[in-house]
Amino acid sequence: MFWTYLRWTLKLTLLVLIGGLLHYVLPQHDVVRIVDAYERRIDFTDNNRIFWAQPDSGAPVADNRDVRFIDAVRPNGKQIVYRNEDTNWSWPFYFKFDSSDLNAAAKDLVSTAEEPTWVIIRHYGWRSNFFSIFPNAVHLTVTDTPDPRIIPWFNIAFFLVLALIGLRIWRWWVNFHEDRIEPLVDDVVIAMHRAEDKADRTGGRVARWWDRVRGRA
């Protein structure tokens, strides 16, 4: 019973970790009204350094640097803050090199509540006030409505390819199990039966010999 619980715990933990990783790195879309775009000096710590991207392409890596931010408001009135950093060639592989251009576009799209300009921000990452984590904005698209229909084509294609790869791996494992493992197990079982039969025959001969010895005595 203990090992069953342990196996299920490990499986669920692995599933949660994989799901969390995918939720963090895959693109998400928010509809917001941009209210400000600016730069701020950030000191990185061991607690949140992993959640920050890279400096601009060609800039050195340091313990602190200026980071671009985009302040926005959702249609329901809730505020959200995005960082605007290059990802360069590193993980996650968005190959973003245009954070300066994105900052200029964000400033150009600043609007008021009276005359809002709604923007679809494609981003990845999470927002955490406690750990000072911000989602990284990747792309801006102007929309005419605060409730547009957004179809996450990339995510759909990603999970479709992932399912096909998983199906292929499962099929490969089934074929490998049928062609290699099952015959090996059958050979082991046959060998064990033969050994048991041989042991029974040997035991029978020993018992008959012992009976003859006792009869002569």
Side-chain angles (χ1 to χ4, degrees), residues 17-113:
L17 290 176
I18 294 176
L21 176 63
L22 293 177
H23 186 267
Y24 181 84
V25 301
L26 288 178
Q28 304 173 40
H29 298 83
D30 294 339
V31 178
V32 299
R33 175 175 58 85
I34 298 176
V35 297
D36 198 5
Y38 56 93
E39 294 184 8
R40 178 159 58 94
R41 174 69 62 168
I42 296 295
D43 294 317
F44 304 104
T45 67
D46 294 336
N47 294 329
N48 66 1
R49 185 185 299 272
I50 191 175
F51 295 103
W52 295 85
Q54 304 293 324
D56 290 353
S57 181
V61 178
D63 291 334
N64 58 73
R65 56 182 167 83
D66 290 336
V67 177
R68 298 179 179 88
F69 290 90
I70 300 173
D71 290 353
V73 178
R74 300 179 187 272
N76 59 9
K78 292 185 178 180
Q79 294 80 21
I80 179 71
V81 180
Y82 304 89
R83 57 190 168 95
N84 176 21
E85 295 184 282
D86 285 346
T87 60
N88 299 329
W89 301 99
S90 62
W91 173 265
F93 302 114
Y94 281 86
F95 307 111
K96 180 187 174 188
F97 299 91
D98 61 345
S99 59
S100 297
D101 296 340
L102 195 70
N103 186 67
K107 288 182 178 180
D108 187 53
L109 293 173
V110 170
S111 63
T112 63

Side-chain angles (χ1 to χ4, degrees), residues 180-199:
R180 299 297 181 86
I181 296 181
E182 288 185 0
L184 181 61
V185 172
D186 292 340
D187 292 342
V188 172
V189 172
I190 292 173
M192 292 178 61
H193 287 321
R194 289 176 178 174
E196 291 177 356
D197 294 339
K198 186 176 181 180

Side-chain angles (χ1 to χ4, degrees), residues 119-181:
V119 180
I120 301 175
I121 294 187
R122 185 169 74 238
H123 67 88
Y124 71 89
W126 302 324
R127 177 71 176 104
S128 172
N129 294 325
F130 183 79
F131 291 104
S132 296
I133 299 172
F134 302 88
N136 191 12
V138 177
H139 185 72
L140 307 178
T141 303
V142 178
T143 179
D144 296 331
T145 172
D147 187 26
R149 182 181 181 184
I150 301 174
I151 302 177
W153 292 112
F154 179 87
N155 292 354
I156 293 174
F158 175 84
F159 283 109
L160 181 59
V161 172
L162 189 65
L164 292 176
I165 293 175
L167 181 62
R168 180 60 181 171
I169 293 175
W170 175 80
R171 189 56 193 169
W172 172 84
W173 169 252
V174 170
N175 292 336
F176 178 79
H177 190 274
E178 293 177 350
D179 297 340
R180 299 297 181 86
I181 296 181

